[in-house]
Amino acid sequence: MSPTLDDGVKPGTPAGTAPGGTSPDLARFEQAPPGTAAPRLLQRLREAIRVRHYSIRTEDAYADWARRFILFHGKRHPLDLGADEVAAFLTYLAVQRNVAASTQNQAKSALLFLYRVVLGIELPWLDEVIGAKAPRRLPVVLTPTEVRALLHELSGTMGLVASLLYGTGMRLLEGLRLRVKDVEFERREIVIRDGKGGKDRVTVLPENLMLPLNEHISRRRALHNKDLAAGAGAGEVWLPDALAVKYPQAAQAWGWQWVFPSSTTSVDPRSGVIRRHHLNEATVQRSVSGAARRAGIDKPCSPHVLRHSFATHMLQAGYDIRTVQELLGHREVSTTMIYTHVLNRGGRGVRSPFDQI
């Protein structure tokens, strides 16, 4: 989850800090000037995250929380701060900003990483900082009728993405990061690489989606050939780890291309290379939300709701919970069991005494 705290002036921030942006004084915590031997704090934080192969989303979130923590306490260096300052910052988030428990815990994790890993400080009070208790909520699940109505309002690539999310149980980014080589038409399966927790797994490829997906990939190949003809690296795709160094031609190989590429090229945030990335998840989120409104669905509806619906409908169809667990990629079966609480049994399958009056 991305932080919801704004960048306005915080209590404890000196006058002169501009809302909505970073003060010039904060630049001393950012990347060091060329020729400087020692990297600065936020640069060291990013390097420590990359060494551990954390995702770029984690990197941006942790760097952002470290920056907000420094601003909150008047741009003082974290070495000059302690338990009281960390607790004050987390209290401000919970009490005055009223952030969600997951957001508060993300901020705490970022600060623990900053002190323990980046600054190398193992202080006893770090474990004593109170974390928020995340509520256990039931997932939003659509009925089969609502799913049909939702998908009816989508067409083209957005309709195919949404159908694939519901038909396979993939997370949104897992679907958007799907590569051509991982779609097995003959075996009717999709190999999901580097899912949540860095794990690979296999899920089902719906038979009713094989033809439209195959046609989509054929059109995608024409776009790839056009990019290759344009030259200047236009046909290259981002590769994980050091594969681009080990296999220099792999970035242009057809099998490594995104199944759902963006219509435009963009700059890689880490390398600065211009290439064609996959679809932006915000585009799919807006499309699904708009389709839900047009379909008259009053429930909060996001692409992740399709994953919840997939799991629930699989259990309703009588599939074993262990099978559903493997398809979803859950580490613990207890995570999958939450879907047993939202099965279509009409109030847990009991008959209310009011109906007998």
Side-chain angles (χ1 to χ4, degrees):
M1 176 182 293
S2 59
T4 56
L5 185 66
D6 60 26
D7 282 322
V9 177
K10 317 282 193 306
T13 303
T17 301
T22 301
S23 168
D25 293 340
L26 193 61
R28 62 192 178 94
F29 297 101
E30 296 282 359
Q31 189 165 345
T36 303
R40 291 184 175 169
L41 182 62
L42 295 183
Q43 182 182 351
R44 289 165 55 195
L45 174 65
R46 291 184 179 274
E47 290 174 352
I49 290 174
R50 294 179 187 183
V51 165
R52 287 158 179 80
H53 288 253
Y54 290 178
S55 70
I56 191 170
R57 291 168 174 268
T58 301
E59 175 184 328
D60 290 340
Y62 277 24
D64 187 59
W65 282 121
R67 184 182 298 110
R68 292 166 188 263
F69 178 63
I70 293 169
L71 282 173
F72 181 83
H73 289 294
K75 301 169 194 162
R76 294 164 60 193
H77 198 283
L79 287 174
D80 301 327
L81 306 174
D84 292 340
E85 287 79 9
V86 172
F89 178 63
L90 296 178
T91 300
Y92 169 76
L93 294 179
V95 177
Q96 295 182 252
R97 297 300 304 170
N98 196 29
V99 300
S102 57
T103 303
Q104 182 182 342
N105 287 334
Q106 185 191 65
K108 176 186 174 182
S109 298
L111 297 181
L112 295 184
F113 186 89
L114 173 66
Y115 275 97
R116 284 179 173 159
V117 179
V118 181
L119 299 177
I121 300 176
E122 189 68 41
L123 298 177
W125 53 262
L126 286 174
D127 290 322
E128 298 173 4
V129 176
I130 299 176
K133 182 179 180 180
R136 185 71 168 175
R137 303 189 185 280
L138 294 178
V140 176
V141 174
L142 302 180
T143 65
T145 301
E146 290 172 330
V147 171
R148 284 193 293 269
L150 175 69
L151 297 180
H152 182 73
E153 295 295 333
L154 293 168
S155 61
T157 301
M158 292 299 109
L160 182 57
V161 171
S163 298
L164 204 60
L165 296 182
Y166 173 67
T168 63
M170 289 189 292
R171 299 176 179 90
L172 175 56
L173 277 179
E174 291 173 345
L176 297 183
R177 289 172 178 167
L178 190 63
R179 298 182 190 259
V180 173
K181 66 181 182 61
D182 295 324
V183 181
E184 297 278 0
F185 286 103
E186 186 173 346
R187 296 169 60 91
R188 285 186 54 206
E189 65 183 27
I190 291 177
V191 182
I192 300 171
R193 307 285 185 184
D194 196 24
K196 189 173 182 179
K199 297 179 295 183
D200 295 352
R201 73 179 191 276
V202 175
T203 189
V204 60
L205 172 59
E207 186 174 349
N208 289 340
L209 287 180
M210 291 179 65
L211 180 59
L213 184 58
N214 201 359
E215 293 175 346
H216 169 83
I217 290 178
S218 298
R219 292 191 297 270
R220 167 69 185 96
R221 185 155 199 170
L223 176 62
H224 177 58
N225 291 335
K226 183 179 179 181
D227 285 344
L228 290 176
E236 295 185 358
V237 71
W238 174 84
L239 296 178
D241 302 321
L243 282 177
V245 177
K246 189 175 182 180
Y247 305 107
Q249 302 302 318
Q252 294 184 349
W254 167 237
W256 281 98
Q257 303 304 307
W258 306 115
V259 173
F260 298 107
S262 172
S263 59
T264 60
T265 57
S266 58
V267 179
D268 188 295
R270 285 183 172 173
S271 66
V273 176
I274 299 177
R275 54 168 63 100
R276 191 179 297 278
H277 202 48
H278 58 67
L279 277 176
N280 189 300
E281 61 270 25
T283 304
V284 183
Q285 290 165 346
R286 287 193 296 267
S287 297
V288 171
S289 178
R293 288 195 301 270
R294 294 192 298 272
I297 300 174
D298 297 324
K299 302 173 184 176
C301 198
S302 68
H304 203 69
V305 168
L306 295 172
R307 173 177 163 88
H308 294 323
S309 303
F310 165 85
T312 305
H313 298 165
M314 287 286 288
L315 291 173
Q316 286 178 354
Y319 287 97
D320 181 76
I321 193 169
R322 291 286 184 179
T323 301
V324 178
Q325 176 192 359
E326 292 180 3
L327 292 174
L328 294 177
H330 288 159
R331 179 182 302 176
E332 303 291 341
V333 71
S334 59
T335 307
T336 314
M337 287 182 65
I338 193 171
Y339 297 108
T340 63
H341 299 295
V342 290
L343 292 176
N344 186 19
R345 294 175 180 168
R348 293 187 176 272
V350 301
R351 182 177 175 86
S352 170
F354 185 84
D355 294 332
Q356 300 176 6
I357 298 177

